[in-house]
Structure formats: structure tokens, C-alpha cells
Amino acid sequence: MLTVDFSRFPLAPGDRVLDLGCGAGRHAFECYRRGAQVVALDQNAEEIREVAKWFAAMKEAGEAPAGATATAMEGDALALPFPDESFDVVIISEVMEHIHDDKGVLAEMVRVLRPGGRIAVTVPRYGPEKVCWTLSDAYHEVEGGHIRIYKADQLLARIREAGLRPYGSHHAHALHSPYWWLKCAFGVDNDKALPVRAYHKLLVWDIMKKPLATRVAEQALNPLIGKSFVAYATKPHLPSVDAA
């Protein structure tokens, strides 16, 4: 399940991509399939080991084109172990709401992104997320949990302050908002509640089968209750300096 829309965020074979806070690796895997040179970075060692295994399996199965590369590594988003301008593309999906120093993370992403490079940032959307916080303290008051809710204009302002130029945005995963509302209402750790189990089955069916009816429904509902807000931006080229 991808949050970044690659029709709005074009990726070329050979692009150097950093998936920052990659988690289980869903965006990193898609970039690898598209022929990119991918680095998937996360502070969770267990998840990084799993991502590395999947990269190896994809290579063995021939899912990645010739020239594509993939590396999974542990790292700190506030102190990235890369030189300046190392990447053509940076993706940070559902991460910034967890980090106290979000300005510091953006600064590090800008540092390692080449001029003219592209960045995709996704966070939980304000409205659906606010419902979750209202229904359940346990949803966000956990170690490593969500510490803030972004409004769209607030996130875009952060992106501009970091020196990036936003060029597009949208909402995603409308069908997932009711699931999380149910989870919060019945208990975030209570997967046995009938409404939660039933809705989860619906989501699994939707992800696996991608039926037209749910695709159309989600597209129509995304502007209203999309679970995620997605923003795209570029790093401007520095003005040329006249040697004369």
C-alpha cells in the first residue's frame, strides 16, 4: 500500500533514492522495482533486517531491473551518514509526526538532496488524526508514538522554511480512516472486536484485489477523510555566480 503517488512524483531508473524512516520498506521496494538506487534507512534494527531480506528476495526473483541497487541500514534521521547532495530523491512517509525536532529532520533531508532533487513528505491528516486522538489516548501516548498533528498549511510552511518549493499535494487512504476510528473506539490493542475484525478483512480484500468499486470510492472520499496528507517539493538550484 503506497502513500506516495508516483504518477505525481516521477522516478527515473538510476535515481538515487533515500527512503528515510522506511519502516517495513513499502516505498523502498517500489523504488527498487522502478530501477532506482535505493537506500532504506530506519532506526529500528529489526525492521531493517527484514527490509534487507526482502531486497535480497526481490533480487533473487528478478523483480528489480538491471542497474537497480538496494541497501538497508540503521541510521539517525537527525544525523544522516551521507555527504551533502547524495540523493536525487528523498521520501519520508509517516515519520515526522513521531520526531520532536521536525525542523532538524527537514534540514538533514535538504542537506543530502541535490539541487533540483525531489522530496515527498507524508503525515497523518489533521481531521482524521484528531478523531483518533479524541477517541483514544492510547493511540498516541505510547513510546515512539505520535507527538503532534499537522495541519496542511503548517507542514507546507515547514517545508518552505527548510528551503524547499512545494509543487503539489493530495490526500490518501480514505478507507483506512474508519478502521483507525474503530480501533480507537474499541481499544487500539483489541483486535478481537467484531467491527474491527470485519473492517480489517475489508481492507485486506481491497489491498489484495483492488476492485474498481473501492478504488472509485476511495478516490471520491480522499479529499474528505483521507488518512494521510502528502506533499511534494523540489530543492531549488542555487543562483549562478558571475565569476566576473
Side-chain angles (χ1 to χ4, degrees), residues 85-233:
E85 302 178 8
S86 298
F87 295 96
D88 304 297
V89 173
V90 177
I91 297 171
I92 184 166
S93 183
E94 312 299 300
V95 173
M96 287 182 57
E97 67 276 8
H98 296 271
I99 300 176
H100 287 276
D101 187 6
D102 57 346
K103 290 183 179 180
V105 171
L106 278 167
E108 271 294 87
M109 289 189 288
V110 171
R111 180 184 68 79
V112 302
L113 185 66
R114 68 163 176 82
R118 304 174 305 286
I119 186 170
V121 182
T122 92
V123 297
R125 184 185 187 176
Y126 183 84
E129 184 76 348
K130 190 69 174 178
V131 173
C132 289
W133 283 45
T134 301
L135 289 171
S136 171
D137 290 336
Y139 170 78
H140 64 97
E141 291 182 354
V142 295
E143 184 178 356
H146 298 183
I147 61 171
R148 72 174 64 84
I149 309 176
Y150 288 100
K151 292 185 177 179
D153 57 356
Q154 179 188 16
L155 180 63
L156 292 172
R158 287 273 198 277
I159 290 171
R160 291 188 183 97
E161 289 167 5
L164 297 166
R165 291 180 181 170
Y167 70 83
S169 64
H170 62 91
H171 300 100
H173 309 317
L175 295 182
H176 288 250
S177 290
Y179 172 72
W180 283 103
W181 297 339
L182 288 170
K183 288 270 288 182
C184 290
F186 286 92
V188 290
D189 296 321
N190 181 13
D191 293 328
K192 295 182 179 180
L194 179 59
V196 174
R197 287 191 291 115
Y199 203 97
H200 184 263
K201 288 182 179 180
L202 170 66
L203 291 180
V204 171
W205 173 74
D206 174 55
I207 291 170
M208 299 300 295
K209 300 297 184 180
K210 297 180 175 62
L212 178 61
T214 55
R215 296 299 86 218
V216 171
E218 183 156 78
Q219 186 174 9
L221 290 170
N222 273 338
L224 301 173
I225 60 168
K227 184 72 170 67
S228 294
F229 175 69
V230 188
Y232 306 108

